[in-house]
Amino acid sequence: SSKFLVDIAKALRVSPLWLATGEGTMHGDNDLFSREISLASVDTKPVPLISWVQAGSFKEVISDMTIAKEFIHCPTRCSASTYALRVEGESMLEKFRPGQIIFVDPEIVPTSGQFVIAMLEDGYKVTFKQLIIDGGEQYLKALNKDWPERIIKVTEDCRIIGTVIGSHESFI
């Protein structure tokens, strides 16, 4: 995951993709370094894809990676606590669709306008919304203009448990 991965691969005369992932051929072709190399293929980290129920208690069970049946490569730099969720429901339409994968880093303190995962009502309900901070007050906002409860005030019964740092959508 080093930002110097391509330089290291050049010095060792090996493929950066092979060095980072073990995939492909070790030496590649001679033209490898004259092409542009996608950092997404060499600078990603597998994170667990978990359920919304597991997200509510993820910090407590992070050391038990058996909670995840699937791991997905996060498209951006992330902490060891990062996990992935599959979007459910339509509260965040048009930007996020059901089935889309979002990557959540619980170690990033969110700022106004960022997308967050929040725990509501005694830790039994987890939701995905946009954080709005206005006049010292915090609100959770659904992006879907037709959503019935579009704005939720953050009270003592609510805590932010992660900041969305990226997303992935597959069409197959």
Side-chain angles (χ1 to χ4, degrees):
S1 65
S2 169
K3 66 181 180 178
F4 302 107
L5 185 82
V6 173
D7 294 329
I8 293 168
K10 276 184 185 181
L12 297 173
R13 298 185 178 271
V14 297
S15 160
L17 181 60
W18 175 84
L19 185 61
T21 67
E23 297 175 10
T25 60
M26 181 177 172
H27 294 287
D29 59 40
N30 294 336
D31 190 39
L32 179 65
F33 296 107
S34 64
R35 297 188 306 225
E36 184 175 326
I37 297 170
S38 168
L39 285 180
S41 67
V42 294
D43 196 20
T44 63
K45 174 183 170 186
V47 299
L49 175 63
I50 64 173
S51 74
W52 288 86
V53 172
Q54 291 169 322
S57 59
F58 190 69
K59 278 220 169 199
E60 289 78 23
V61 296
I62 192 166
S63 61
D64 181 12
M65 283 301 150
T66 62
I67 62 167
K69 292 183 169 71
E70 185 177 355
F71 286 80
I72 298 178
H73 282 267
C74 183
T76 188
R77 289 197 193 314
C78 60
S79 76
S81 304
T82 299
Y83 57 89
L85 292 169
R86 191 175 307 277
V87 173
E88 295 178 353
E90 298 181 349
S91 71
M92 296 299 281
L93 284 175
E94 295 292 316
K95 186 161 182 68
F96 301 94
R97 294 193 292 282
Q100 188 171 354
I101 303 293
I102 55 174
F103 296 91
V104 182
D105 193 333
E107 295 185 24
I108 294 180
V109 177
T111 58
S112 187
Q114 289 185 303
F115 302 107
V116 298
I117 304 300
M119 186 180 302
L120 308 168
E121 303 168 12
D122 303 322
Y124 292 108
K125 185 178 177 189
V126 177
T127 188
F128 169 39
K129 300 286 187 275
Q130 183 178 35
L131 178 65
I132 304 297
I133 302 172
D134 186 27
E137 299 288 336
Q138 293 186 343
Y139 304 90
L140 299 175
K141 177 183 175 183
L143 297 182
N144 185 342
K145 293 180 182 3
D146 297 327
W147 198 250
E149 192 177 4
R150 195 145 178 241
I151 305 286
I152 301 169
K153 184 174 181 182
V154 175
T155 64
E156 64 275 351
D157 295 336
C158 174
R159 67 184 170 101
I160 307 299
I161 60 173
T163 302
V164 177
I165 60 170
S167 67
H168 167 76
E169 187 170 25
S170 177
F171 296 104
I172 54 173

